[in-house]
Amino acid sequence: MLTYFRILKESFNFAINALINHKFRSFLSLLGITIGIFSVILVLAGVDSLKQEIEGSLSGIDKNTVIVMRFPFTPTDIPQWKWQQFPDVTYDEYRSIKRNTPNLEAATFVMQVPLKIIKTDHASASNVNIASITYEYADIEELKIAQGRFFTESESDRGSTLIVIGDEIANSLFGSAKQAIGRKVKLYGRKFTVIGVLKKEGAALGDYSKDNFVLILTNFARKIYGDNNRTTFPRIIIKPKKGIDMAEFRAILTQRFRLMRGLKPDNVDTFFVNQMKGVTDVVDNITSTLNQVGLLISSFSLLVGGFGIANIMFMSVKERTNLIGIQKSLGAKNKFILLQFLFEAVILAIIGGLIGIFLVFSVFWLASQLTGEFEFILSSANILIGTVVSLVIGLISGILPAVSASRLNPVEAIRKGM
């Protein structure tokens, strides 16, 4: 064991000397492995960051949550031109589903209304995302209220002029969330009373953070937009009870809607019963594809880096031919020489890999400072992957030079080195 530690120590010294004595050659040779590892880790960490941000945005919604609307979440056999003509779900359908569907824990009717400017007497916020909901929305998505409260059932039924706003909106209009409760804002030419402020979420996917959202009641929005406005994309969001058979639950929902719409057995469904699990599966497929494409591109950089390490090692064998001959004449075994050069190749590769990982960390730190909100992730697993890949590249790149060095005849090696 002590012999291997001695070989490792000597190999490390040789590797460092190679870098110091041949700076330009070493720089060019290590550049490939550095760029390769940088690319690999950047792709893995970037995709992980994006995936976590998307999943974080969806984390408050159970994967079994069902969304019924005229649009599909995933690919369908029904042509697009056909499903675009489907009727929207209605408030009456929502009320019927809520009353008559077994194993239903909660249901809400949501309408997405156009971006608007929300004002006070002294400030305004533009391009505000507005969603109209019923009071059960808080039972379906785990909304975190930083200040105030959420809507009640009676307020929801009346369509009261009450509003829950995001943290960014509260800061823009009132300076802080604490100062927003009970204050008036103007929207649709009406004055709304702020009853709640959502907890700060942070932005990752543009303006679709809840920080830039306001929530009003569906029955108020229906007075403004009516029940047949296709620009509001109405949808019924349904949360089933835990532990039920989701296939059976979706089948019951489908049958209920078909009965309400008077569809005959040979008619196609004029609605889609979408499950949130389908969305997460799509996200997983997209991130998996991004990983595969990114790694394929990065592999070319790693290939160049491997040739760079092999070049350094062949040059190192040539420069130390005399030393190899002396070592073998003094009794050094072939395995000792082979491990010496193999360790050296691995150390060089790991140095290049660590530089690449450090560059990724620097890029992510800079990006985090510039974006302010998006959380970039450089996990220990990705760092381990980068280190292991570097080690493997070093082994592959160093095996041929190490074998050639170990097979040198000591007499010929001494003669060539003189």
Side-chain angles (χ1 to χ4, degrees):
M1 183 62 69
L2 290 176
T3 302
Y4 291 113
F5 279 117
R6 183 164 61 85
I7 296 173
L8 183 60
K9 180 181 177 182
E10 290 180 1
S11 300
F12 181 78
N13 291 332
F14 278 125
I16 297 301
N17 287 332
L19 290 173
I20 294 173
N21 296 330
H22 306 282
K23 297 182 180 63
F24 187 68
R25 185 184 76 188
S26 299
F27 169 76
L28 292 178
S29 300
L30 290 182
L31 186 62
I33 192 72
T34 298
I35 293 175
I37 295 300
F38 172 81
S39 302
V40 169
I41 303 304
L42 187 67
V43 168
L44 293 175
V47 171
D48 284 350
S49 301
L50 180 61
K51 184 177 180 180
Q52 174 172 290
E53 201 62 45
I54 295 173
E55 290 178 345
S57 300
L58 302 174
S59 61
I61 304 177
D62 191 282
K63 288 185 177 181
N64 286 334
T65 299
V66 173
I67 302 177
V68 184
M69 61 189 305
R70 64 183 170 94
F71 292 118
F73 281 6
T74 54
T76 175
D77 293 333
I78 301 174
Q80 183 175 349
W81 66 266
K82 190 168 186 177
W83 57 253
Q84 284 183 333
Q85 297 176 6
F86 288 170
D88 280 316
V89 294
T90 66
Y91 189 78
D92 288 338
E93 288 174 333
Y94 147 74
R95 290 173 61 86
S96 178
I97 287 295
K98 190 178 168 186
R99 288 193 305 265
N100 303 315
T101 305
N103 294 319
L104 184 149
E105 185 171 323
T108 183
F109 189 81
V110 179
M111 295 164 60
Q112 193 71 38
V113 293
L115 299 177
K116 290 286 183 179
I117 296 176
I118 184 170
K119 299 179 180 179
T120 65
D121 292 336
H122 307 288
S124 66
S126 58
N127 292 329
V128 175
N129 294 293
I130 305 172
S132 70
I133 60 172
T134 57
Y135 74 98
E136 304 100 328
Y137 189 83
D139 297 325
I140 294 174
E141 181 172 1
E142 296 176 2
L143 293 177
K144 297 178 181 178
I145 304 292
Q147 300 291 330
R149 62 176 179 84
F150 204 64
F151 306 108
T152 65
E153 182 176 1
S154 60
E155 292 167 346
S156 179
D157 291 340
R158 292 196 306 270
S160 302
T161 51
L162 303 174
I163 193 169
V164 174
I165 63 178
D167 180 81
E168 185 179 325
I169 305 299
N171 288 324
S172 298
L173 298 180
F174 306 109
S176 72
K178 291 182 179 179
Q179 297 180 21
I181 303 302
R183 303 284 289 274
K184 301 289 185 180
V185 297
K186 193 171 184 181
L187 189 65
Y188 302 110
R190 303 283 296 274
K191 286 189 176 180
F192 286 74
T193 302
V194 178
I195 62 169
V197 178
L198 299 175
K199 185 177 180 180
K200 182 177 177 61
E201 180 183 66
L205 303 177
D207 292 331
Y208 290 95
S209 164
K210 290 186 181 65
D211 296 343
N212 196 46
F213 254 82
V214 301
L215 301 173
I216 61 174
L217 290 165
T218 289
N219 278 339
F220 174 84
R222 291 173 66 213
K223 299 173 187 176
I224 303 295
Y225 292 97
D227 288 325
N228 298 303
N229 192 322
R230 293 176 74 82
T231 64
T232 59
F233 305 110
R235 51 205 180 270
I236 302 171
I237 305 178
I238 300 166
K239 182 179 181 180
K241 292 181 179 178
K242 294 185 181 298
I244 67 168
D245 186 328
M246 283 304 300
E248 181 181 350
F249 183 77
R250 292 179 63 181
I252 292 173
L253 275 179
T254 300
Q255 188 59 32
R256 297 281 183 192
F257 271 92
R258 289 185 64 87
L259 288 173
M260 285 189 290
R261 296 192 171 190
L263 297 176
K264 297 179 181 179
D266 57 341
N267 293 147
V268 299
D269 295 340
T270 57
F271 54 89
F272 291 97
V273 180
N274 301 296
Q275 191 173 341
M276 284 302 298
K277 185 178 183 302
V279 178
T280 57
D281 288 344
V282 169
V283 171
D284 288 340
N285 290 335
I286 292 173
T287 53
S288 176
T289 301
L290 289 174
N291 267 332
Q292 291 172 10
V293 173
L295 292 176
L296 179 63
I297 296 172
S298 302
S299 64
F300 290 104
S301 298
L302 289 174
L303 185 63
V304 173
F307 282 119
I309 297 294
N311 176 62
I312 285 183
M313 296 313 301
F314 276 118
M315 292 294 293
S316 183
V317 171
K318 184 176 181 180
E319 291 169 353
R320 287 152 51 188
T321 300
N322 185 50
L323 180 59
I324 294 169
I326 294 173
Q327 286 178 324
K328 298 194 78 172
S329 66
L330 293 176
K333 296 181 179 180
N334 289 350
K335 183 173 72 171
F336 179 90
I337 303 297
L338 185 143
L339 291 176
Q340 180 178 312
F341 282 91
L342 200 57
F343 281 157
E344 185 175 338
V346 169
I347 291 168
L348 286 171
I350 290 177
I351 290 172
L354 291 176
I355 295 172
I357 293 171
F358 175 76
L359 290 176
V360 173
F361 177 82
S362 302
V363 168
F364 274 22
W365 179 85
L366 181 61
S368 297
Q369 298 301 310
L370 293 176
T371 60
E373 299 287 355
F374 191 89
E375 182 182 359
F376 291 94
I377 302 170
L378 182 57
S379 65
S380 56
N382 286 335
I383 293 175
L384 179 62
I385 289 172
T387 305
V388 171
V389 170
S390 301
L391 188 149
V392 171
I393 293 296
L395 285 172
I396 295 173
S397 303
I399 190 66
L400 286 178
V403 169
S404 67
S406 67
R407 290 180 177 177
L408 286 174
N409 183 282
V411 176
E412 292 181 2
I414 294 173
R415 184 184 300 119
K416 288 180 180 179
M418 294 179 64

